[in-house]
Amino acid sequence: MNIQIFGTKKNFDSKKAERYFKERGIKYQFVDMKEKGLSKGEFTSVCQAVGGYEKLIDEKCKDRDLLALIKYIAEEDRAEKILENQKVLKLPIVRKGKQATVGYEPDIWKNWK
């Protein structure tokens, strides 16, 4: 099963995640979120793996207005709004099959072998 890292080239945690897998000789695929984000199926899968879309939201993201909008819109519209505006996601999102993590989580990744 391949490992996918969803992040950006300028995000330090994304770089650390890439380095983690590269140093251990583990093959991975890097997906730049600025070019291509998560598909709806990938988003749903990651949400299920981490325990809900609330855990994917970066409270420190730069777009405060969008963050406030997502917090206060109707519950049934939130997931769709997050999928449309993926710049509010905490990075990196690392995926291996049905398993996924948000942020830099080497303690979890070492159990994925």
Side-chain angles (χ1 to χ4, degrees):
M1 191 67 60
N2 283 347
I3 291 177
Q4 289 180 306
I5 301 172
F6 294 90
T8 61
K9 296 289 184 191
K10 291 186 177 182
N11 180 278
F12 290 113
D13 284 342
S14 297
K15 290 179 185 178
K16 285 177 13 184
E18 268 192 285
R19 193 173 334 122
Y20 176 87
F21 291 109
K22 196 177 287 183
E23 287 173 353
R24 286 156 183 78
I26 301 169
K27 291 184 178 180
Y28 64 89
Q29 174 191 10
F30 185 82
V31 179
D32 193 343
M33 295 287 280
K34 291 203 184 283
E35 295 173 15
K36 178 181 180 270
L38 292 165
S39 70
K40 188 170 181 135
E42 289 168 332
F43 179 74
T44 305
S45 174
V46 169
C47 286
Q48 290 173 343
V50 299
Y53 58 82
E54 296 87 5
K55 295 198 168 87
L56 292 173
I57 297 175
D58 184 5
E59 297 294 330
K60 299 175 191 147
C61 80
K62 291 179 183 172
D63 195 342
R64 293 286 186 207
D65 295 336
L66 180 59
L67 193 59
L69 174 67
I70 288 171
K71 282 186 176 180
Y72 296 110
I73 60 174
E75 185 76 32
E76 59 272 6
D77 298 333
R78 274 189 206 147
E80 193 65 39
K81 187 57 92 174
I82 294 168
L83 190 58
E84 288 172 16
N85 301 286
Q86 295 187 14
K87 59 187 170 198
V88 299
L89 296 176
K90 191 183 293 181
L91 299 177
I93 297 171
V94 181
R95 224 179 120 199
K96 180 182 179 193
K98 296 283 183 200
Q99 299 172 305
T101 61
V102 179
Y104 183 69
E105 299 286 349
D107 296 334
I108 298 171
W109 300 335
K110 68 181 173 192
N111 298 325
W112 282 3
K113 295 179 179 169

